[in-house]
Amino acid sequence: ITERKGFAIWQKDNRVSVISADGTVLQTFVDPRFAHLPLVVGAGAETQASEFLALADRYPAIRDQVRAYVLVAERRWNLRLKSGIDIRLPEIEPARALDALVALDRDRKLLSRDIALVDMRFPDRVTARLSDDVAASRQEAMKDKKVRRKGDDA
């Protein structure tokens, strides 16, 4: 008999379970002693978690900020950070995207900014969405600029 150890907490359809590294459900409730395990979310996440978490372990600067690893359509992963930022990773070559994310955070402090989303799904660009508060402030500032311009021309 081989005892399986808790590897991650898996959430699917509002149900939470402790899983082993091969995706086997060990228990259908989460005992507080498992609270330190990574959280993986979504259909298929239980079987794909081991491989993806091994990749994430290569990026401790990012891994330490992750609240949940979310499998989207059983094809690609999103990272939900403790700060509330969502990182959308590509289906193909997520390591390349994680390399770029680490560099952007190191060089430009990307993950310290007031943003809601970083989309890294396209190999030729990275896009970021401002948080709602900052977007509203920016929109208001742009309105003020337009009003001033019209007044200056008169």
Side-chain angles (χ1 to χ4, degrees):
I1 296 175
T2 303
E3 180 183 352
R4 294 185 177 170
K5 299 197 184 296
F7 174 74
I9 298 170
W10 173 46
Q11 179 183 335
K12 181 183 174 232
D13 299 330
N14 293 324
R15 291 187 179 167
V16 180
S17 305
V18 176
I19 59 170
S20 66
D22 67 358
T24 302
V25 173
L26 301 179
Q27 58 185 101
T28 57
F29 64 93
V30 179
D31 190 298
R33 65 188 165 128
F34 295 114
H36 68 283
L37 295 175
L39 174 63
V40 295
V41 179
E46 78 282 14
T47 57
Q48 296 183 41
S50 181
E51 183 180 338
F52 187 76
L53 292 176
L55 172 65
D57 281 344
R58 296 182 5 211
Y59 302 92
I62 302 299
R63 179 201 61 215
D64 295 343
Q65 296 183 55
V66 174
R67 175 182 297 151
Y69 301 89
V70 181
L71 186 61
V72 178
E74 297 188 43
R75 293 187 352 247
R76 62 172 196 80
W77 291 89
N78 284 352
L79 308 178
R80 169 66 55 97
L81 303 186
K82 294 172 185 170
S83 64
I85 298 172
D86 283 326
I87 311 293
R88 293 180 179 173
L89 296 175
E91 180 177 359
I92 299 169
E93 296 183 357
R96 177 203 48 80
L98 288 168
D99 287 336
L101 183 63
V102 167
L104 285 167
D105 192 41
R106 180 188 63 238
D107 300 341
R108 305 228 173 135
K109 306 292 184 229
L110 177 68
L111 300 178
S112 301
R113 297 177 185 250
D114 200 356
I115 58 176
L117 173 90
V118 178
D119 193 340
M120 307 199 70
R121 293 177 293 171
F122 305 101
D124 61 334
R125 67 184 171 273
V126 174
T127 57
R129 182 185 316 152
L130 298 174
S131 68
D132 291 341
D133 293 339
V134 173
S137 296
R138 185 174 192 290
Q139 191 171 25
E140 195 62 38
M142 295 305 287
K143 281 181 187 177
D144 288 346
K145 277 186 173 182
K146 287 179 182 180
V147 169
R148 280 191 220 138
R149 274 197 196 133
K150 286 180 181 178
D152 292 340
D153 291 341

